[in-house]
């Protein structure tokens, strides 16, 4: 028979298939030989109390032959000669998953990506990190796979109402991700593995007769009779289609400006802005695994335990302060898209084996906070965001060197005479961040960090460095769409999609939104 069983194991037990089988047998009161095998259905860490455990839900095969885990199958049609064509603007998670869904339904996708393919993009990132020179069309945000390719690769989302999360995870496995993402409580692929998976997706799209065209930056919309007839790209190319999916990500400011110039409705959207904070990973391990820094001896994490993470949230004068995109064993990376602007983000490799842990700590920004940019109408929050990034770049002294401060100095309003080691490759320089951040962000962060220090004993630390500025948490613009038909209210064949349009926040939710639009188009 097959039976679902819940187990709480020590980390070393959970790392051994034999020991898991022994625990299954003990739980059921049977011989180990009666357990022919098992699948892990769910896995999470329980760090409550003094004894850390791994919580497993397994499907055990008892006195019957073991069967390999069934991975969902997908069937992609050849669409080179399909009657219907859809232009997908942007080759990030939303664009690629939309294209794959269109192919499943017999429609040819034509994907236009302003950036480069993965390998060429990697070279541009190396120049950015080592020489402080940015390519505005090929960076951490733009290029094959979008911001997701060189992100942390987190696949955790609460957006289960937006689509089928398991389908998205199974698609990732189909294209080369490990099966562990199907059962980990917080699935993660890793920056080192994502490029290969993205390349496999792109190859499938091309093999099935879809098109993926790089260095095709959309610069104009040709509209006739309230419909989008074609789009023009920077090199003069023109692309016509039956429908257009706009999946350009949260950093394509030129697209927002184009929509505004064309009097196509867009809306100001609240977002969040703050800093990225980095601690030694060992310190976060001590805190989260309850060895209490400064009290217990130095803690060395067992290799059977994952690097510890955290999630923090508080309210300061009715304004939210929260952690964002926490990266255990990760690095801080330069995520700007234009010269003269400084943006930081974080990512981790699959093993999460770097010596630092970093996380965005950000403050909610509302419409009333951007009143000085109100003359820009719906783009006010975007211009506010841009102004902070330019201020940070100037404060750092150029070449994407980031202004930074020790956490304790930041909260106590002191200048930092020295800075701790930091993973940010372009480098950091000591700057009082009150000179960089908007006053309401600065004061809210100071109070929020003090509260976080009370919630996590040891978090408030002189070893932690604060790096400015974390500003691309989400789009500061929303592109409206019909709730059911999903097209823009004015342009009946233009479909705003995912993060860039304000309808997703992360790889999985963006992928689901791309599939959702592709499904609606397929029905039409």
């Amino acid at each position: 028979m097959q039976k679902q069983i819940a187990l709480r194991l020590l980390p070393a037990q959970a790392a051994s298939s034999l020991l898991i089988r022994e625990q299954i047998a003990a739980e059921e009161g049977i011989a180990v030989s009666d357990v022919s095998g098992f699948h892990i259905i769910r896995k999470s860490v329980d760090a409550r109390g003094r004894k850390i455990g791994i919580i497993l839900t397994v499907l055990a095969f008892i006195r019957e032959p073991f069967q390999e885990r069934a991975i969902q199958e997908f069937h992609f049609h050849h669409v080179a000669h399909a009657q219907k064509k859809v232009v997908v603007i942007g080759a990030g998670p939303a664009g690629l998953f939309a294209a794959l869904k269109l192919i499943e339904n017999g429609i040819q996708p034509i994907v236009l990506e302003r950036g480069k393919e993965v390998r060429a993009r990697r070279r541009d990132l190396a120049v950015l990190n080592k020489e402080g020179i940015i390519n505005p069309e090929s960076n951490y945000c733009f290029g094959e796979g979008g911001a997701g390719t060189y992100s942390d690769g987190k696949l955790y989302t609460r957006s289960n109402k937006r689509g089928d999360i398991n389908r998205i995870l199974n698609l990732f496995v189909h294209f080369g991700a490990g099966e562990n993402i199907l059962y980990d409580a917080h699935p993660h692929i890793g920056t080192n593995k994502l490029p290969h998976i993205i390349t496999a997706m792109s190859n499938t799209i091309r093999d099935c007769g879809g098109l993926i065209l790089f260095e095709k930056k959309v610069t104009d919309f040709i509209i006739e009779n309230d419909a989008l007839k074609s789009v023009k790209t920077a090199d003069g190319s023109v692309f016509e289609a039956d429908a257009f999916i706009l999946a350009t990500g949260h950093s394509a400011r030129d697209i927002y400006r184009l929509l505004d110039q064309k009097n196509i409705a867009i809306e100001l959207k609240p977002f969040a802005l703050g800093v990225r904070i980095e601690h030694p990973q060992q310190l976060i391990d001590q805190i989260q695994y309850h060895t209490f820094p400064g009290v217990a001896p130095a803690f060395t994490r067992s290799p059977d335990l994952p690097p510890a993470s955290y999630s923090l949230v508080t309210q300061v004068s009715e304004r939210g302060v929260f952690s964002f995109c926490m990266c255990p064993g990760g690095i801080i990376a330069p995520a700007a898209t234009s010269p003269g602007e400084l943006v930081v983000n974080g990512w981790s490799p699959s093993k999460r084996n770097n010596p630092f842990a970093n996380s965005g700590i950000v403050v909610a920004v509302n419409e009333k906070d951007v009143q000085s940019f109100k003359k820009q109408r719906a783009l006010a929050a975007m211009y506010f965001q841009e102004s902070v990034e330019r201020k940070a770049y100037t404060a750092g002294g150029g070449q994407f060197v980031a202004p930074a401060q020790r956490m304790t100095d930041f909260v106590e309003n002191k200048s930092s005479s020295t800075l701790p080691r930091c993973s940010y490759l372009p480098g950091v320089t000591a700057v009082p961040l009150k000179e960089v951040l908007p006053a309401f962000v600065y004061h809210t962060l100071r109070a929020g960090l003090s509260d976080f220090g009370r919630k996590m004993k040891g978090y408030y630390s002189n070893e932690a460095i604060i790096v400015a500025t974390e500003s691309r948490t989400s789009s500061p613009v929303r592109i409206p769409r019909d709730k059911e038909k999903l097209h823009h209210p004015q342009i009946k064949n233009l479909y705003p999609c995912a993060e860039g349009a304000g309808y997703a926040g992360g790889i999985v939710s963006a992928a689901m939104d791309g599939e959702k639009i592709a499904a609606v188009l397929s029905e039409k």
Side-chain angles (χ1 to χ4, degrees):
M1 67 173 178
Q2 299 175 24
K3 185 174 182 181
Q4 200 170 115
I5 301 170
L7 303 171
R8 190 185 194 281
L9 307 175
L10 295 174
Q13 291 175 311
S16 166
S17 295
L18 176 59
L19 294 178
I20 294 173
R21 287 179 62 202
E22 289 179 353
Q23 290 299 312
I24 292 170
E27 185 77 17
E28 293 298 300
I30 58 178
V32 175
S33 58
D34 289 334
V35 183
S36 60
F38 63 90
H39 296 312
I40 299 176
I41 298 174
R42 186 76 169 169
K43 181 180 180 180
S44 62
V45 178
D46 182 3
R48 296 170 297 178
R50 303 293 295 183
K51 186 176 286 189
I52 300 164
I54 304 296
I55 306 299
L56 293 184
T57 302
V58 300
L59 178 66
F61 291 76
I62 299 171
R63 301 189 184 100
E64 71 168 65
F66 173 69
Q67 301 172 29
E68 294 292 337
R69 187 191 303 272
I71 304 298
Q72 190 171 343
E73 294 184 2
F74 301 93
H75 303 284
F76 301 105
H77 302 287
H78 196 271
V79 294
H81 304 293
Q83 291 185 337
K84 297 294 183 180
K85 302 179 187 299
V86 173
V87 164
V88 180
I89 306 171
L96 292 178
F97 276 80
L100 290 166
K101 186 70 172 178
L102 290 169
I103 288 171
E104 281 187 290
N105 290 313
I107 299 169
Q108 184 188 36
I110 303 169
V111 182
L112 306 180
E113 170 54 49
R114 68 192 299 163
K116 300 179 182 179
E117 52 87 24
V118 164
R119 284 174 292 182
R121 186 181 177 191
R122 187 182 292 118
R123 291 191 288 271
D124 292 327
L125 295 181
V127 171
L128 172 59
N129 279 299
K130 295 175 182 178
E131 302 176 34
I133 300 172
I134 192 167
N135 182 337
E137 311 304 338
S138 179
N139 44 61
Y140 277 101
C141 290
F142 299 148
E144 186 176 14
T149 302
Y150 293 102
S151 74
D152 190 46
K154 295 183 185 70
L155 302 180
Y156 176 69
T157 181
R158 295 184 178 91
S159 304
N160 55 3
K161 293 182 180 179
R162 295 182 181 178
D164 186 346
I165 295 174
N166 286 331
R167 173 183 157 84
I168 300 300
L169 296 179
N170 273 272
L171 269 165
F172 272 112
V173 173
H174 177 83
F175 288 109
E179 290 185 15
N180 61 296
I181 69 171
L182 300 176
Y183 56 78
D184 281 343
H186 291 83
H188 164 260
I189 293 178
T191 308
N192 53 318
K193 294 184 177 181
L194 272 167
H196 306 291
I197 294 168
I198 296 300
T199 298
M201 290 182 180
S202 296
N203 288 341
T204 294
I205 292 169
R206 282 188 287 262
D207 291 344
C208 291
L211 300 179
I212 300 183
L213 305 176
F214 296 107
E215 299 183 78
K216 293 290 184 182
K217 178 181 178 180
V218 172
T219 56
D220 200 8
F221 297 145
I222 309 304
I223 300 169
E224 294 181 4
N225 300 320
D226 297 328
L228 187 53
K229 179 183 178 183
S230 61
V231 295
K232 288 185 178 180
T233 57
D235 61 2
S237 302
V238 176
F239 296 89
E240 295 185 351
D242 299 286
F244 299 79
I245 297 176
L246 188 61
T248 49
H250 59 41
S251 293
R253 289 171 173 163
D254 53 301
I255 290 294
Y256 299 140
R257 292 188 182 100
L258 176 61
L259 293 168
D260 195 46
Q261 291 164 9
K262 293 280 186 180
N263 293 315
I264 298 172
I266 56 175
E267 304 165 353
L268 182 151
K269 186 179 82 62
F271 71 112
L273 182 145
V275 294
R276 191 149 281 264
I277 297 183
E278 186 171 79
H279 292 78
Q281 180 63 54
Q282 186 182 46
L283 177 61
I284 299 301
D285 289 342
Q286 285 180 289
I287 296 167
Q288 297 297 77
Y289 293 142
H290 307 300
T291 55
F292 301 106
V295 178
F299 172 71
T300 301
R301 176 175 43 83
S302 161
D304 299 320
L305 271 177
S309 62
Y310 62 83
S311 177
L312 293 166
V313 62
T314 190
Q315 291 281 319
V316 176
S317 300
E318 299 184 353
R319 190 186 294 273
V321 185
F322 55 94
S323 58
F324 171 81
C325 185
M326 196 275 151
C327 301
I331 73 160
I332 300 176
T337 50
S338 297
E341 299 169 1
L342 203 153
V343 184
V344 294
N345 200 351
W347 57 260
S348 302
S350 57
K351 292 183 179 179
R352 290 179 162 170
N353 56 355
N354 285 311
F356 299 105
N358 70 75
S359 178
I361 302 293
V362 295
V363 173
V365 178
N366 302 308
E367 185 172 357
K368 65 180 181 179
D369 300 317
V370 300
Q371 290 298 318
S372 60
F373 296 89
K374 197 61 178 175
K375 62 182 179 180
Q376 305 292 343
R377 297 180 298 167
L379 298 178
M382 186 189 84
Y383 284 114
F384 169 84
Q385 179 192 62
E386 188 177 63
S387 71
V388 178
E389 294 170 3
R390 291 191 175 279
K391 200 169 186 179
Y393 185 90
T394 301
Q399 291 188 298
F400 297 95
V401 174
Q405 202 169 358
R406 287 184 184 267
M407 181 190 284
T408 50
D409 292 337
F410 177 86
V411 173
E412 295 169 16
N413 197 20
K414 298 177 182 177
S415 296
S416 294
S417 57
T418 63
L419 294 173
R421 285 179 59 211
C422 181
S423 66
Y424 182 71
L425 288 177
V428 293
T429 185
V431 173
L433 294 183
K434 67 179 179 181
E435 299 175 4
V436 176
L437 299 169
F440 77 91
V441 172
Y442 172 68
H443 292 298
T444 304
L445 280 174
R446 289 175 66 203
L449 291 174
S450 295
D451 189 44
F452 292 162
R454 289 187 287 271
K455 291 179 176 179
M456 281 181 66
K457 182 178 176 62
Y459 179 85
Y460 180 69
S461 168
N462 196 45
E463 296 179 66
I465 186 171
I466 299 181
V467 183
T469 179
E470 171 80 66
S471 51
R472 305 283 178 95
T473 55
S474 65
S475 170
V477 176
R478 176 174 286 109
I479 306 173
R481 69 189 189 190
D482 184 276
K483 289 185 178 179
E484 293 183 1
K485 298 179 181 179
L486 303 184
H487 60 66
H488 191 279
Q490 294 168 247
I491 313 297
K492 304 304 182 185
N493 64 340
L494 175 63
Y495 292 80
C497 183
E499 283 203 56
Y503 298 101
I507 292 173
V508 171
S509 60
M512 288 193 295
D513 202 53
E515 285 208 331
K516 182 178 178 180
I517 287 178
V520 166
L521 282 170
S522 300
E523 290 174 6
K524 290 182 67 175

